[in-house]
Amino acid sequence: MNRHRPLTLLPLFVMMACILTAPAFFAGCGIKNDYTEKQMFKLCADCNNPAGQGNRSAGAPLVVKRLDISPEFGGAGFVYRIDQNRFTQDYYNNYMTPPARMISDVMFEALVNSPQFAPAPQNQVPDDIFQLWGKITALYCDQRNASAVSAVMTMALNLDRLNKDGFTPLLAKTYSAHIPLGSDTSPKGYIKALNRGLTRIVNNILSDFQKMPAPADNQ
């Protein structure tokens, strides 16, 4: 007559103990899930030398209308160009506010802090006012050449002069900046390059405005 050995629960206890202690073991060894943290970035122009409101002069009154933007670049996430006709969006590195709004605000602050412009009065309509408006047609990190990554920013801008006789178009021009990232191709490096591009575009607008006849000469 065959006798069966009594079933012992020891192997079961050992198995359960291994399962329960496995997470602690792997955590102790430094093995963990790699979760990418979301980062938010803010644009600026002439970031190293921001001008305060006290430096604003009695320049030409200016309004900057909210810029339009091509749909493929209007999202919060950074956009990367990886092929001739292929773009991809970064969901982990974002602008703090929608890029069209942020760029419009930054351009206004930079322009009215220059000697050429001042904020238009909010409670009264001046005899002459200048209005800047347009569209952002490109805003991306060009990664087609891994050894020459660059930030690309392009805007089609218009500057009009408004007075009691109506408005006069003064400027219609496309401004573009291609800024190499160099060795720093990180999201922070991309933002720094965009800031340099934005500063360049603002300076070019100011340069073009200075070449125009004085407001009194246009009346």
Side-chain angles (χ1 to χ4, degrees):
M1 183 175 181
N2 295 330
R3 294 185 178 180
H4 299 284
R5 292 184 61 186
L7 181 63
T8 176
L9 297 180
L10 180 59
L12 180 61
F13 290 147
V14 172
M15 184 181 299
M16 292 181 64
C18 291
I19 294 174
L20 292 174
T21 57
F25 171 77
F26 287 121
C29 294
I31 300 175
K32 60 181 179 179
N33 291 328
D34 184 16
Y35 294 106
T36 304
E37 294 184 0
K38 200 168 194 176
Q39 299 185 84
M40 310 293 286
F41 295 90
K42 184 177 180 180
L43 292 169
C44 61
D46 197 13
C47 308
N48 295 327
N49 298 294
Q53 294 188 5
N55 295 327
R56 292 178 177 177
S57 69
L62 176 70
V63 171
V64 175
K65 294 185 65 178
R66 180 69 53 80
L67 298 174
D68 293 327
I69 190 169
S70 297
E72 57 267 39
F73 309 116
F78 292 175
V79 175
Y80 304 106
R81 187 174 187 178
I82 57 178
D83 204 344
Q84 183 63 28
N85 299 308
R86 186 181 173 192
F87 296 83
T88 184
Q89 190 170 16
D90 187 344
Y91 296 99
Y92 295 101
N93 295 289
N94 290 193
Y95 301 102
M96 290 186 68
T97 57
R101 174 184 174 183
M102 184 182 297
I103 291 173
S104 301
D105 293 342
V106 169
M107 290 185 66
F108 173 75
E109 291 297 324
L111 290 170
V112 300
N113 282 326
S114 72
Q116 287 78 26
F117 293 106
Q122 295 183 355
N123 299 325
Q124 59 181 344
V125 179
D127 293 335
D128 278 308
I129 187 172
F130 291 85
Q131 178 176 271
L132 184 71
W133 58 280
K135 184 175 183 178
I136 302 165
T137 57
L139 184 68
Y140 61 86
C141 182
D142 193 342
Q143 297 182 338
R144 288 176 293 175
N145 184 348
S147 61
V149 179
S150 61
V152 178
M153 178 183 291
T154 304
M155 306 180 199
L157 299 178
N158 301 270
L159 181 66
D160 300 333
R161 181 184 175 198
L162 299 94
N163 55 31
K164 60 184 179 180
D165 297 323
F167 76 92
T168 304
L170 299 178
L171 177 69
K173 185 175 179 179
T174 297
Y175 295 89
S176 188
H178 294 70
I179 309 297
L181 270 64
S183 60
D184 186 3
T185 58
S186 67
K188 290 183 179 179
Y190 172 56
I191 282 293
K192 290 179 180 178
L194 279 184
N195 289 337
R196 292 196 296 271
L198 188 53
T199 301
R200 179 182 298 179
I201 290 174
V202 167
N203 289 336
N204 288 338
I205 294 171
L206 293 173
S207 178
D208 289 339
F209 182 75
Q210 284 182 302
K211 297 174 184 177
M212 297 178 184
D217 297 335
N218 288 335
Q219 291 181 351

